[in-house]
């Protein structure tokens, strides 16, 4: 079996039917994020990414117009296989292409090491988002 991971990029109209159920399963079902917090009305203005492993959708992420990466979600059965790294890399590259000098995200505390290995640096104090401890992180895109 091949473990080929591919990333599709597009708007919510194109990718929402695939990204939405992944996010629902990870955030609403697994992490108990309230529906109204997950569906924040910002999907229509965001660029979306869906990761496929062997043509099966296994992860999703989005890039807001202000270069914030968010809603990075990988299904449990695909974690630890590079899916999240590929999603974040695609979002970072899209932000770079759009001319942003940096990208930012709010990471769940347990995910700080994941983002640090991708070059992100944490800043500021911890805070709660949907009852889950987070910390802001930034990656410069300027050499």
């Amino acid at each position: 079996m091949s473990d080929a991971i591919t990333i599709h990029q597009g708007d919510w109209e194109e990718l929402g039917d695939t990204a939405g159920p992944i996010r629902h399963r990870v955030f609403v079902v697994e992490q108990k994020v309230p529906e109204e917090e997950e569906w924040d009305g910002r999907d229509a203005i965001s660029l979306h990414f869906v990761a496929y492993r062997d043509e099966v959708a296994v992860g999703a992420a989005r890039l807001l117009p202000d270069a914030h990466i968010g809603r990075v979600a990988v299904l449990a059965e695909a974690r630890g296989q590079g899916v999240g790294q590929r999603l974040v890399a695609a979002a970072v590259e899209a932000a770079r292409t759009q001319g942003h000098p940096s990208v930012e995200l709010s990471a769940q505390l347990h995910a700080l090491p994941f983002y640090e290995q991708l070059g992100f640096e944490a800043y500021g104090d911890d805070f709660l988002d949907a009852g889950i401890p987070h910390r802001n992180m930034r990656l410069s895109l300027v050499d």
Side-chain angles (χ1 to χ4, degrees), residues 12-39:
W12 188 246
E13 190 171 304
E14 180 183 355
L15 296 178
D17 287 346
T18 305
I22 292 169
R23 286 173 36 191
H24 183 270
R25 192 161 136 198
V26 171
F27 297 123
V28 178
V29 176
E30 284 182 32
Q31 297 183 357
K32 310 290 188 245
V33 171
E35 292 264 359
E36 62 275 10
E37 290 189 47
E38 174 55 29
W39 309 115

Side-chain angles (χ1 to χ4, degrees), residues 3-139:
D3 282 329
I5 298 168
T6 57
I7 305 294
H8 294 210
Q9 175 178 312
D11 61 22
W12 188 246
E13 190 171 304
E14 180 183 355
L15 296 178
D17 287 346
T18 305
I22 292 169
R23 286 173 36 191
H24 183 270
R25 192 161 136 198
V26 171
F27 297 123
V28 178
V29 176
E30 284 182 32
Q31 297 183 357
K32 310 290 188 245
V33 171
E35 292 264 359
E36 62 275 10
E37 290 189 47
E38 174 55 29
W39 309 115
D40 62 1
R42 298 169 80 184
D43 286 318
I45 62 169
S46 299
L47 182 61
H48 294 270
F49 306 88
V50 173
Y52 294 84
R53 188 183 61 211
D54 297 324
E55 301 180 25
V56 175
V58 294
R62 74 179 183 189
L63 178 67
L64 291 163
D66 65 358
H68 272 76
I69 296 171
R71 303 303 199 264
V72 179
V74 177
L75 296 179
E77 60 269 22
R79 291 181 193 144
Q81 300 171 20
V83 175
Q85 291 172 334
R86 295 285 305 276
L87 284 164
V88 173
V92 166
E93 188 53 36
R96 187 185 318 273
T97 300
Q98 294 173 2
H100 293 286
S102 65
V103 290
E104 297 194 15
L105 55 81
S106 299
Q108 294 180 10
L109 293 189
H110 72 85
L112 286 175
F114 168 79
Y115 290 110
E116 286 170 344
Q117 76 179 14
L118 298 178
F120 285 81
E121 295 181 8
Y123 68 92
D125 296 326
D126 297 353
F127 62 93
L128 290 179
D129 186 3
I132 301 168
H134 283 70
R135 192 147 178 229
N136 287 320
M137 301 189 83
R138 179 182 300 119
L139 174 68

